[in-house]
Amino acid sequence: MTTVLKFTTAAFCVSLLAACSNESTTNTKTTAAPNSSTSQKELIIATESSFKPFSYLDKQGQLVGFEIDLANALCKQMQADCQIVSQDWDSLIPSLNANKSDAIMAGMSITEERLNAVDFSEPYFDNTLVLIGKKDNTATINDIAGKAVATQQATVSAEYLQKHYPDANIKTYDKQDNAYLDLTAGRVEFMLSDVVPATDWLATEAGSEFEIKGMPIDIGDKVGIAVRKDSSLKADFDAALASLKTNGKYDEIVAKYFNSQALGQ
């Protein structure tokens, strides 16, 4: 039986209300079967392209990643013509509610605050948070008072720091990549991040001198597809996601992007 992913780091040795889009990069168009009763359904799915391995730009400037493949599979299952576009993180929800997109797949956590503005599908993975720091630094999350800690703005990581560690010197960034840059340059001492992109970055040359500090932080964070309030697309996405889990396509996409160590299996 396929269950919602829960990302942990037991074997480690791994988004918000926002402001309007001024950037749109088309990556993929999934075309429905021509004889389908829903083949005329055309959807724009928005993402944010600096969240590897979920959604990011490859060397050719094309959108790739777990959420891109999952979005394409969902559209095929729904027999919908879909276009996937990249937007700034802060623009995602305002653009959705301004009818500039039809759905958001961008590692977006289902929170009470966001539920006041949008609806969400059933979750497609569960998330934990991790603190990253230099390997020679023995501090954990309980030692960050007065320390410079990076996180992406308007995310559950930022909210968690502000709520539980207000004495830390919290520095927020528009993109995950910019937080990594300041971490490697020594302008911040730590970074709080979702577990999977953190693990992915730690495996790169840039992340080779860093590690996860302490245990993963389980805040019950679930990620889903955001749609406008009372949109029928919620039910469409829920049904398509359930079908992908039943027919094995969901597990196939997961296996492409996440190894067993990253999933804590």
Side-chain angles (χ1 to χ4, degrees), residues 37-54:
S37 62
T38 58
S39 62
Q40 299 305 307
K41 185 183 294 183
E42 296 183 356
L43 303 177
I44 296 175
I45 299 177
T47 190
E48 195 265 357
S49 58
S50 66
F51 203 56
K52 191 177 181 181
F54 292 98

Side-chain angles (χ1 to χ4, degrees), residues 52 135 180 184 197-210:
K52 191 177 181 181
K135 288 181 176 178
Y180 291 142
T184 54
T199 298
D200 186 85
W201 181 78
L202 289 171
T204 68
E205 183 178 355
S208 62
E209 296 182 0
F210 297 83

Side-chain angles (χ1 to χ4, degrees), residues 47-126:
T47 190
E48 195 265 357
S49 58
S50 66
F51 203 56
K52 191 177 181 181
F54 292 98
S55 175
Y56 61 101
L57 298 176
D58 65 12
K59 292 180 180 179
Q60 288 71 47
Q62 296 297 306
L63 279 168
V64 294
F66 167 68
E67 287 176 317
I68 307 306
D69 284 6
L70 182 58
N72 284 324
L74 288 166
C75 290
K76 184 175 181 179
Q77 182 67 36
M78 293 161 59
Q79 297 183 315
D81 294 337
C82 293
Q83 199 172 38
I84 305 172
V85 299
S86 176
Q87 298 177 349
D88 290 339
W89 174 257
D90 285 349
S91 76
L92 289 169
I93 289 178
S95 267
L96 176 66
N97 284 331
N99 297 312
K100 294 182 178 180
S101 64
D102 300 293
I104 300 167
M105 292 184 67
M108 186 168 282
S109 301
I110 303 169
T111 66
E112 291 185 10
E113 183 181 8
R114 293 186 187 125
L115 284 168
N116 289 325
V118 297
D119 284 339
F120 280 93
S121 71
E122 290 297 311
Y124 56 86
F125 71 87
D126 291 354

Side-chain angles (χ1 to χ4, degrees), residues 9 26 52 54 85 87 107 113 115 154-155 193 230 250 259:
T9 53
T26 301
K52 191 177 181 181
F54 292 98
V85 299
Q87 298 177 349
E113 183 181 8
L115 284 168
T155 62
S193 169
D230 302 318
Y250 176 81
N259 59 35

